[in-house]
Amino acid sequence: MHLEGSCHCGSVKFSVESAQPYPFMRCYCSICRKTAGGGGYAINLGADAATLKVIKGKRHLRVYQATWREGDEEHTSSGRRHFCGRCGSALWLFDPTWPELVHPHASAIDTPLPKPPQNVHLMLGSKAPWVEVEGLPGDPRFDGYPDMSLAEWHERHKLTSKS
């Protein structure tokens, strides 16, 4: 599925092809909720990194690599969170660990997205205490990462889109 996206102020516009366009996975980790979250979570899609095209505003792109502490050790995420330097809108995440993938934020996509049949709630072990986990009865919930990838979820539900 061809997806068009943009930031809030319109300075950055991009496009990407996605075989996994359903916005089903809500991440409650501190990085997602603080950098891109609304409602205490963020939703990323899966897309083909080779098809990511910045149509307008590449000069406004900024990148953030999250850091965190575990005991005395500081860690840096390999994920590169791209955002607009003018308005701060989260746009996509790219992690060179999986160079064939890019993860646009559903909130940045302007193309109408299909409604998912369920939501998967992940990283609930680090959600903010004020957040109430909403969703459908039977939605899968995980304290950490789920037992499936974006692609596997789409395949299980027979929702994989051909670009």
Side-chain angles (χ1 to χ4, degrees), residues 4 9 29-30 35 46-47 56 59 62 80 84 93 113 116 134-135 160:
E4 298 281 337
C9 72
C29 81
S30 64
T35 62
K56 175 184 168 196
R59 71 185 181 281
R62 301 295 181 271
R80 295 175 173 120
C84 174
L93 175 124
L113 294 171
E134 299 172 355
T160 300

Side-chain angles (χ1 to χ4, degrees), residues 16-17 20 46-52 93-103:
V16 68
E17 298 296 326
Q20 296 96 31
D48 179 355
T51 67
L52 178 63
L93 175 124
F94 174 77
D95 189 327
T97 306
W98 298 278
E100 69 282 359
L101 299 173
V102 66
H103 297 286

Side-chain angles (χ1 to χ4, degrees), residues 1-5 109-113:
M1 180 176 182
H2 181 77
L3 302 176
E4 298 281 337
I109 300 300
D110 300 318
T111 305
L113 294 171

Side-chain angles (χ1 to χ4, degrees), residues 2 9 15 28 44 48 69 81-83 91 105 124 138 144:
H2 181 77
C9 72
S15 68
Y28 295 79
N44 288 332
D48 179 355
R69 295 195 72 75
R81 290 163 170 77
H82 292 74
F83 64 97
L91 300 170
H105 285 276
L124 291 171

Side-chain angles (χ1 to χ4, degrees), residues 87-148:
C87 68
S89 295
L91 300 170
W92 66 82
L93 175 124
F94 174 77
D95 189 327
T97 306
W98 298 278
E100 69 282 359
L101 299 173
V102 66
H103 297 286
H105 285 276
S107 57
I109 300 300
D110 300 318
T111 305
L113 294 171
K115 184 178 176 187
Q118 70 175 183
N119 291 292
V120 173
H121 305 269
L122 68 139
M123 300 301 286
L124 291 171
S126 62
K127 76 171 184 59
W130 58 266
V131 173
E132 291 291 328
V133 179
E134 299 172 355
L136 300 171
D139 276 356
R141 296 167 189 235
F142 300 89
D143 281 342
Y145 288 106
D147 59 358
M148 72 194 104

Side-chain angles (χ1 to χ4, degrees), residues 43-95:
I43 301 173
N44 288 332
L45 304 171
D48 179 355
T51 67
L52 178 63
K53 306 280 188 264
V54 178
I55 299 165
K56 175 184 168 196
K58 195 170 189 172
R59 71 185 181 281
H60 298 294
L61 282 176
R62 301 295 181 271
V63 177
Y64 174 67
Q65 283 186 264
T67 60
W68 68 94
R69 295 195 72 75
E70 286 181 25
D72 292 336
E73 288 189 49
E74 185 170 279
H75 302 275
T76 300
S77 171
S78 56
R80 295 175 173 120
R81 290 163 170 77
H82 292 74
F83 64 97
C84 174
R86 293 190 68 204
C87 68
S89 295
L91 300 170
W92 66 82
L93 175 124
F94 174 77
D95 189 327

